Amino acid sequence: RHPDTQVEQRFTEQWFFRITQYSQRLLDNLEWIDWSEITKRAQRNWIGRSEGAEIDFPLVRDRSRKIRVFTTRPDTLFGATYMVLAPEHELVETITTPQQRAAVQAYCERVARMDLVSRRSVREKTGVFTGAHAINPATGQPIPIWVADYVLLEYGTGAIMAVPAHDQRDFEFARAFSLPVVEVIRPGGAADQPVAEEAAYESATGGDVLVRSGPFSGLSVPQAQKAIVQWLEENGWGRARVEYRLHDWCISRQRYWGPPIPIIYCGACGIVAVPERDLPVLLPDIEDFRPDESGVAPLGRIPSFVNTTCPQCGGAARRETDVSDTFLDSAWYFLRYPSAKRDDIAIDPELTRKWLPVDMYIGGNEHAVLHLMYARFLTMALHDLGILPFEEPFKKFRAHGLIIKDGAKMSKSRGNVVTPDRYIEVHGADVFRLYMMFLGPYEEGGDFRDEGIAGIRRFLDGVWRIVRDADLDREIPLALRRAVHRAIRKVTEDLEELHYNTAIAALMTLTNEIRKYGPADRWVAETLVLLLAPLAPHIAEELWEALGHTTSVFDARWPAHDPAMLAEDTVEIAVQVNGKVRGRIVVPRGAPDEEILAAALRDAAVQTHVAGKELRKKIVVPGRLVSLVV
C-alpha cells in the first residue's frame, strides 16, 4: 500500500475452513513424517500448542457476567492486578462506564486505523481505562479493566489477566499507568526481594516457589500450576485447557482474480450451494477489476454477476462476491494431476492409489506454514471423507536453501539476481549446474561468487583428460581400486540424501587418486563417468560415447561398491604413557605386538615421555591401544 493510504479494520462475513479441528493431528504427524526439521519446527510454532487454564473473572457490577482469559501461567494468578481487553472485544462497549465512554471510543477508533503488523511491533504502551472492574477469583479483590492495543482479538480470548511482576509487556504497561506490581514468584533459593524497577521476572523454573499466593505459597511452580488449576475447577472458576495458536483458515478474498466461492444467498432458502451442474462459476469479463474506496469486492460492483436466481426455489437471489484464497488451489492441485484427463470425476480412486502420495517434494521453506500446512489439512479432511487412502500428502519433503550474493539473499527486489544464460554461454550448463550444487549444503544454500566457477571448470577438464588418457586394458593398483569403491559408496549415499556438495567433493578426491595411481583402466573411467552423470549429464553422455558405448549413460546400471574393498590396510593406535595419551601411530592391520610396540617407542611424541626412563610395563591391545608405564 502507499504510505499515505489510511488503514481501517472492518468486520466482514467471510468463509472459513475449520482447520482448528485438526490442530493436534497436524502436530502429532510431524513426529513421523520425513520432512526437513526446519520446516517441521516452523509448523510446530505456527500451530503453537500451549497447555494452561481458562479462568473466569466476574464483573464487579454484575457477577453473572464474566471475562474469560486463557493463560499458560495459572501459578501467577495471585499476581494479576488488572485486566486488558483487545479494542475489538465484544465486552468493551457494554462494560465501559459513561464517564469513560468518549475516551474508550476515541482510542478504539484510533487502533482500528492501525494494521496488525504495527500493533504487534508497537513499543510505546498505550491504553485507556474502561471504568469497570473485575474480581480476581484468587484474591477476591477488584482489579481495573483496561483496553490496550497490545492485546489482539485473534490470540486466546482477546482478553488477558495482567501480571506485571512476571510478564514484561504487562510490566511496562503497569509502569506507564502507575498500576500495582505484585511479585508472586520467587527465584529458587532467593530471599524475598523488593519489586523490580526495570524488568519483570518471567522465569518459571522447577526451583522457583510461590509467595503471596495464599494456600499455594511455598509450592514450586510446577506443583502450583497443577494445584491451582484443580482448585479453580473445584470452585467453578476455571478449567485446564489446551490452546492452539492456529486459527481457522479464512479462504475469502475481496479481489477479482480467483475462483468465485460457489455460494448463493436466497431470502427464502438462506445459504445455498451452487449446484454441481452449474460449476464452475466463471469470472465475468470486465475492464476495471481494481479495488476502490468503498471496500466492496470488485465482483460485488457487477450487478449482472451478483443478481441471480435461487437454484432451490427459483426466487431472486445474490451470489457470493468473494473469491477463494489461491492457497486453496495449491493445497490440492497435486491430487488432481493423476486424474487430469477425467472430466467426470475430480479424483480417480485407482489412479490416486497408483501415483500418490507424493514420494519426494522439494521446495522453498517460505511455504512451510501456509501452502504445506494447508495441503496437509486438506489431505487429512479428504481422507476422513473416504476420498483418499492416505492422510499425509508428501512422504518426504526437503527445503532448499537460499543463494546469497553480495551479502544478501538473491532476489529481484535487491537487484542482485544472476542470469544463468551468460555463465552457460561461457562455461556450459554442466559447469554452472555443478557450481550451484557445490556452493554449500542443499538445505542451506551458499554464497555465489564468480571466481568459484573456475574451480569447477578445472575439475571437469580434469575428468575429460582422465577419460581421454585412459589405458583401458591396464592392470590398476589395489590402492586405486579401493579409492573407486570408496567413491561409489560416498556418492551413492550423498545423492540419496541430497548432499550434492559432498558428492562432488568425493568425485574431486577420486580424480586426484586417479592422477596419483593412474592412468585409469576401462572400469575406473566408466565408473567415474557413471558417478558424474546425475550431476553433469551433458559431459557424461559425451564421455560415455567416447568410451565406445552406443546407448545412453542413463541406460547403464549404477555401480555398486564392494564392502570388502573398503577395509583399510592400516589402523591408527593410541599410545598411552602412565595412563595419558601421548601419541598416535599408524601400523599395518594385523601387525604383531612386537612391531606395534617398536613403532610406539619410535614415535617422537612418545619419546619425550619415555626417553631415559625405565619401562616397567608394556601392554598392547591389538588394533586399539599401546599402554606404557615408566
Side-chain angles (χ1 to χ4, degrees):
R1 67 180 176 88
H2 191 277
D4 296 330
T5 303
Q6 280 197 337
V7 173
E8 179 183 345
Q9 293 189 56
R10 297 182 182 180
F11 287 96
T12 60
E13 288 189 345
Q14 300 186 97
W15 288 93
F16 291 80
F17 279 1
R18 196 170 291 171
I19 190 174
T20 52
Q21 294 282 75
Y22 289 79
S23 297
Q24 190 59 48
R25 191 160 155 195
L26 288 166
L27 202 57
D28 290 341
N29 284 12
L30 292 175
E31 297 301 317
W32 60 264
I33 58 175
D34 185 8
W35 283 27
S36 297
E37 187 56 40
I38 186 174
T39 306
K40 295 202 289 186
R41 184 166 60 249
Q43 292 211 357
R44 289 189 186 100
N45 292 339
W46 192 262
I47 296 169
R49 187 180 194 273
S50 300
E51 295 183 11
E54 274 185 347
I55 305 174
D56 292 330
F57 287 71
L59 297 175
V60 169
R61 290 186 297 179
D62 181 0
R63 298 202 177 194
S64 65
R65 302 175 67 193
K66 300 176 177 65
I67 297 176
R68 179 164 293 177
V69 304
F70 171 79
T71 178
T72 59
R73 296 292 306 277
D75 52 297
T76 65
L77 177 58
F78 285 80
T81 59
Y82 65 97
M83 301 191 75
V84 185
L85 302 181
E88 305 87 358
H89 197 285
E90 61 182 0
L91 287 178
V92 170
E93 185 176 351
T94 59
I95 69 171
T96 300
T97 62
Q99 296 87 346
Q100 291 296 109
R101 189 169 304 282
V104 170
Q105 185 175 353
Y107 182 80
C108 291
E109 289 175 355
R110 182 172 70 82
V111 174
R113 292 191 292 271
M114 298 173 61
D115 59 80
L116 290 179
V117 174
S118 300
R119 283 179 61 180
R120 289 190 186 100
S121 59
V122 67
R123 294 185 178 275
E124 180 185 358
K125 292 295 179 284
T126 65
V128 62
F129 177 41
T130 65
H133 290 78
I135 300 294
N136 182 330
T139 64
Q141 298 299 311
I143 57 176
I145 305 171
W146 286 67
V147 175
D149 58 7
Y150 78 94
V151 177
L152 303 176
L153 188 64
E154 60 183 21
Y155 290 113
T157 64
I160 66 165
M161 66 174 204
V163 186
H166 305 294
D167 181 275
Q168 190 60 33
R169 294 183 310 166
D170 295 346
F171 179 84
E172 293 168 359
F173 190 90
R175 283 293 183 230
F177 295 100
S178 300
L179 295 167
V181 179
V182 177
E183 290 183 304
V184 292
I185 304 292
R186 181 184 298 170
D192 200 1
Q193 297 175 344
V195 172
E197 293 295 331
E198 298 296 335
Y201 178 67
E202 299 187 58
S203 179
T205 66
D208 291 347
V209 297
L210 268 65
V211 295
R212 304 184 188 93
S213 298
F216 306 102
S217 296
L219 293 181
S220 68
V221 165
Q223 291 172 332
Q225 288 179 336
K226 295 179 181 178
I228 289 178
V229 171
Q230 182 178 349
W231 177 66
L232 289 169
E233 290 177 340
E234 290 171 353
N235 288 277
W237 295 329
R239 62 213 58 79
R241 180 175 173 83
V242 174
E243 187 76 23
Y244 298 92
R245 182 176 178 268
L246 183 66
H247 288 265
D248 282 331
W249 176 14
C250 176
I251 65 163
S252 292
R253 295 295 182 270
Q254 295 75 45
R255 56 189 176 217
Y256 172 76
W257 297 110
I261 294 175
I263 292 292
I264 291 173
Y265 300 95
C266 173
C269 304
I271 298 175
V272 181
V274 173
E276 188 171 341
R277 65 178 181 272
D278 296 333
L279 293 177
V281 178
L282 300 176
L283 288 171
D285 187 10
I286 60 174
E287 292 185 9
D288 184 11
F289 49 78
R290 293 172 297 178
D292 61 20
E293 66 279 358
S294 70
V296 175
L299 294 179
R301 304 196 303 264
I302 307 170
S304 60
F305 177 82
V306 176
N307 299 322
T308 186
T309 56
C310 174
Q312 289 186 1
C313 69
R318 63 181 178 86
R319 290 189 185 278
E320 170 63 67
T321 58
D322 284 354
V323 298
S324 62
D325 180 8
T326 52
F327 277 115
L328 181 55
D329 302 322
S330 64
W332 81 281
Y333 72 94
F334 58 95
L335 298 174
R336 172 63 178 161
Y337 275 174
S339 312
K341 292 183 178 180
R342 292 202 57 177
D343 296 330
D344 59 328
I345 190 172
I347 300 174
D348 180 296
E350 292 186 13
L351 289 172
T352 299
R353 193 174 294 108
K354 176 181 179 180
W355 290 102
L356 293 171
V358 174
D359 293 297
M360 167 70 90
Y361 185 167
I362 294 176
N365 204 47
E366 65 269 20
H367 294 307
V369 294
L370 291 175
H371 159 58
L372 292 173
M373 180 81 77
Y374 295 149
R376 294 183 63 213
F377 158 61
L378 281 188
T379 303
M380 286 180 182
L382 292 172
H383 170 72
D384 291 351
L385 291 170
I387 296 172
L388 297 177
F390 50 87
E391 68 170 34
E392 284 291 342
F394 315 122
K395 292 181 182 179
K396 181 181 288 190
F397 174 83
R398 293 293 181 267
H400 60 68
L402 299 175
I403 303 300
I404 305 299
K405 191 172 191 302
D406 303 327
K409 170 189 171 182
M410 193 179 291
S411 68
K412 290 181 289 186
S413 62
R414 291 185 172 88
N416 62 347
V417 171
V418 169
T419 303
D421 295 8
R422 64 187 182 94
Y423 293 93
I424 293 173
E425 288 174 3
V426 175
H427 301 286
D430 281 340
V431 171
F432 188 75
R433 176 186 171 95
L434 274 180
Y435 176 63
M436 295 300 295
M437 288 188 283
F438 194 59
L439 281 178
Y442 183 79
E443 294 185 50
E444 296 177 19
D447 194 0
F448 188 97
R449 299 176 183 274
D450 287 4
E451 56 269 24
I453 296 179
I456 296 294
R457 175 61 185 265
R458 288 194 297 272
F459 163 64
L460 288 184
D461 286 345
V463 172
W464 184 276
R465 286 192 294 270
I466 286 172
V467 174
R468 182 197 63 190
D469 300 337
D471 184 351
L472 301 183
D473 299 319
R474 78 179 287 251
E475 184 71 28
I476 60 170
L478 180 60
L480 180 54
R481 191 169 295 277
R482 290 185 187 278
V484 174
H485 281 281
R486 284 195 300 269
I488 294 172
R489 182 179 67 173
K490 177 66 174 167
V491 173
T492 302
E493 291 175 351
D494 284 352
L495 290 181
E496 289 176 354
E497 295 300 321
L498 308 186
H499 297 164
Y500 301 129
N501 59 322
T502 52
I504 296 168
L507 289 175
M508 291 177 173
T509 299
L510 176 59
T511 59
N512 291 335
E513 293 289 308
I514 295 172
R515 281 192 287 269
K516 178 179 177 182
Y517 296 106
D521 68 350
R522 173 173 290 279
W523 174 75
V524 171
E526 289 185 347
T527 302
L528 174 62
V529 173
L530 287 168
L531 296 178
L532 181 65
L535 304 164
H538 301 92
I539 189 174
E541 198 74 87
E542 290 288 333
L543 292 174
W544 193 246
E545 182 178 336
L547 287 167
H549 296 279
T550 57
T551 58
S552 171
V553 66
F554 296 102
D555 291 331
R557 183 182 297 276
W558 184 257
H561 74 275
D562 180 357
M565 296 296 292
L566 299 179
E568 297 291 339
D569 294 330
T570 59
V571 62
E572 184 180 76
I573 296 177
V575 182
Q576 290 183 347
V577 179
N578 290 351
K580 293 186 178 181
V581 175
R582 299 299 187 182
R584 295 183 182 276
I585 58 173
V586 177
V587 298
R589 186 178 296 277
D593 290 356
E594 297 79 12
E595 185 177 336
I596 295 172
L597 183 60
L601 292 172
R602 288 196 303 269
D603 185 79
V606 174
Q607 271 290 314
T608 60
H609 295 280
V610 302
K613 298 177 182 179
E614 178 187 354
L615 270 176
R616 295 185 177 181
K617 189 179 291 187
K618 300 171 287 185
I619 300 173
V620 176
V621 181
R624 293 178 55 194
L625 177 71
V626 173
S627 179
L628 306 175
V629 178
V630 296

